[in-house]
Amino acid sequence: MSKKKELIFDTVILGGGPAGLSAAIYACRGNIKTAVVDITMFGGQPGNYQEIENYPGFAVSGGFDLMEKFEKHADKFGVEKFPMQEIQKVDLKSEIKTIESLDIIFKCKSIIIATGAKASKLGIPGEKELFGKGVSYCAVCDGAFYRDKVVCVVGGGNSAVEEACYLTKFAKKVYIIHRREKLRADKIIQDRAFNNPKIEFVWNTIPLEIRGENNVKSIVVKNVITDKITEINTDGIFPYIGFTPNTELFNGQLEQTPQGFIETDAYMQTSINGVFAAGDVRNTPLRQVITAASDGATAACSCVKYLEQNQIKIPV
Ligand SMILES: Cc1cc2nc3c(=O)[nH]c(=O)nc-3n(C[C@H](O)[C@H](O)[C@H](O)COP(=O)(O)OP(=O)(O)OC[C@H]3O[C@@H](n4cnc5c(N)ncnc54)[C@H](O)[C@@H]3O)c2cc1C
């Protein structure tokens, strides 16, 4: 078996989305030897959606284009990049921390966790089997496949209602299936949906099963007040019921909310010295590109200070 390569850094940033790339810019400018490691290519979630219109300075930008700018900016200050790294284990607790991928052992004095979050699953029969065959977690990525078709969005928050409105650009009808009789989405977003003739609300209803063989054909739902079970014919299902943080590697090592989001203070310091968290992965009231970038900047500056105050030596 070939021996793994060992690399030494002052800090390793896990995740190359808005939080991680912003942290990389600030860490490199703070003159610390910095690596950014991602399980896929860099860019994070914005790399997958078409437009972003609320990042200040860019009234409308492609998500991918904006992230390319973040990445080039980090390159300018000399970050070392490791895309497509499947991380197997992480030791956060020791003073010298280690991150092990299939072929590299990263040894470092500090870690910034910026691994983001992924869409929560409905956990019902048919969801896994029909993923990519009508079940999608990204309206912007897949909406165009539903021209003149019928789709269902599950959820009642901002993402669900915004994505439902977006889907009406293509679909002839969009059902919003929500377990309550009121939406959680902001008023302005709700108004847009209520005024959209293509949207029909299915209130007080939970999904039970997604049916179809090679493609989604229908969703079986239950009214939670009357217990009545019905089947809605549909070509696509878009669940938007919240997010689960990408923390499988760290669970149990640091303080987290019951949903798994990492607890930090205002300096992005986690419950472990020398470990910082930034962006969607942490317990935060707003999950957006700008807040992730802001967290990344704070985390990197706190990290630089931590390294100044703790003269840690890694034996070579
Ligand atoms: C459909 C949709 C539309 C949105 N629209 C907007 C919008 O218009 N405006 C806006 O401001 N925000 C929007 N957001 C939210 C925004 O995309 C997120 O808040 C932001 O991307 C969070 O950045 P992040 O860096 O924390 O996480 P992410 O963008 O999720 O990046 C995390 C990175 O970590 C990597 N990673 C995950 N696990 C590991 C691991 N184990 N090891 C190494 N790397 C790992 C991932 O591959 C990814 O590259 C939208 C989100 C969605 C889903």
Side-chain angles (χ1 to χ4, degrees):
M1 218 166 56
S2 67
K3 204 167 171 283
K4 291 189 184 187
K5 188 161 62 172
E6 272 192 19
L7 300 175
I8 293 177
F9 290 93
D10 291 322
T11 193
V12 173
I13 299 164
L14 279 171
L21 291 172
S22 161
I25 294 167
Y26 277 76
C28 291
R29 289 194 78 244
N31 209 20
I32 60 175
K33 189 172 156 55
T34 304
V36 57
V37 175
D38 203 296
I39 195 166
T40 62
M41 298 305 287
F42 297 109
Q45 292 179 64
N48 297 323
Y49 49 78
Q50 249 168 349
E51 271 181 9
I52 164 160
E53 53 180 25
N54 53 7
Y55 193 79
F58 296 82
V60 178
S61 169
F64 181 83
D65 296 341
L66 184 65
M67 286 303 102
E68 208 175 41
K69 287 192 171 70
F70 272 49
E71 190 178 340
K72 283 197 178 135
H73 199 157
D75 286 340
K76 182 178 163 200
F77 296 114
V79 69
E80 292 184 47
K81 295 186 297 187
F82 299 86
M84 310 301 287
Q85 293 292 319
E86 196 180 311
I87 308 298
Q88 294 176 306
K89 54 180 179 192
V90 177
D91 170 20
L92 299 176
K93 288 196 171 153
S94 310
E95 187 177 57
I96 298 169
K97 303 175 191 313
T98 51
I99 297 166
E100 206 170 319
S101 76
L102 288 176
D103 49 3
I104 306 176
I105 297 174
F106 297 90
K107 288 191 168 175
C108 51
K109 303 170 188 172
S110 60
I111 292 181
I112 299 175
I113 301 172
T115 47
K118 58 181 166 293
S120 301
K121 306 288 181 284
L122 299 171
I124 58 173
E127 182 182 29
K128 210 168 160 190
E129 297 80 353
L130 291 163
F131 172 67
K133 298 173 183 167
V135 175
S136 167
Y137 303 91
C138 179
V140 179
C141 316
D142 297 331
F145 297 125
Y146 296 91
R147 204 170 288 280
D148 298 325
K149 296 193 170 174
V150 177
V151 298
C152 292
V153 169
V154 184
N158 281 342
S159 296
V161 181
E162 273 183 334
E163 299 307 307
C165 291
Y166 175 81
L167 284 164
T168 61
K169 288 187 184 186
F170 310 99
K172 63 179 178 196
K173 181 161 193 89
V174 178
Y175 291 100
I176 296 183
I177 300 170
H178 184 41
R179 63 187 164 150
R180 302 208 173 86
E181 61 185 359
K182 264 192 197 155
L183 298 173
R184 271 180 296 114
D186 296 343
K187 174 86 173 54
I188 184 172
I189 296 168
Q190 291 196 26
D191 288 346
R192 254 182 240 159
F194 289 138
N195 291 325
N196 190 319
K198 285 189 178 178
I199 293 181
E200 181 175 331
F201 290 90
V202 186
W203 301 112
N204 296 313
T205 297
I206 54 166
L208 296 180
E209 184 185 350
I210 299 171
R211 289 189 178 158
E213 278 178 20
N214 296 322
N215 290 101
V216 167
K217 291 274 178 266
S218 66
I219 183 164
V220 180
V221 296
K222 180 172 110 172
N223 184 301
V224 290
I225 308 227
T226 62
D227 280 345
K228 191 175 170 208
I229 294 179
T230 44
E231 189 168 357
I232 302 171
N233 291 331
T234 182
D235 302 292
I237 315 276
F238 289 82
Y240 281 100
I241 54 163
F243 286 90
T244 307
N246 295 319
T247 50
E248 295 83 355
L249 290 167
F250 327 109
N251 287 340
Q253 292 196 55
L254 34 60
E255 267 176 37
Q256 291 167 273
T257 66
Q259 296 77 29
F261 291 100
I262 298 174
E263 298 282 13
T264 67
D265 64 13
Y267 297 88
M268 305 302 137
Q269 168 70 60
T270 68
S271 55
I272 302 177
N273 270 344
V275 179
F276 304 86
D280 282 12
V281 75
R282 78 178 190 98
N283 184 15
T284 174
L286 184 63
R287 293 194 170 85
Q288 289 282 282
V289 174
I290 187 164
T291 48
S294 158
D295 282 1
T298 306
C301 292
S302 303
C303 181
V304 170
K305 210 164 259 169
Y306 168 80
L307 294 174
E308 278 166 12
Q309 288 165 356
N310 297 273
Q311 295 297 319
I312 303 163
K313 296 259 177 294
I314 302 184
V316 190

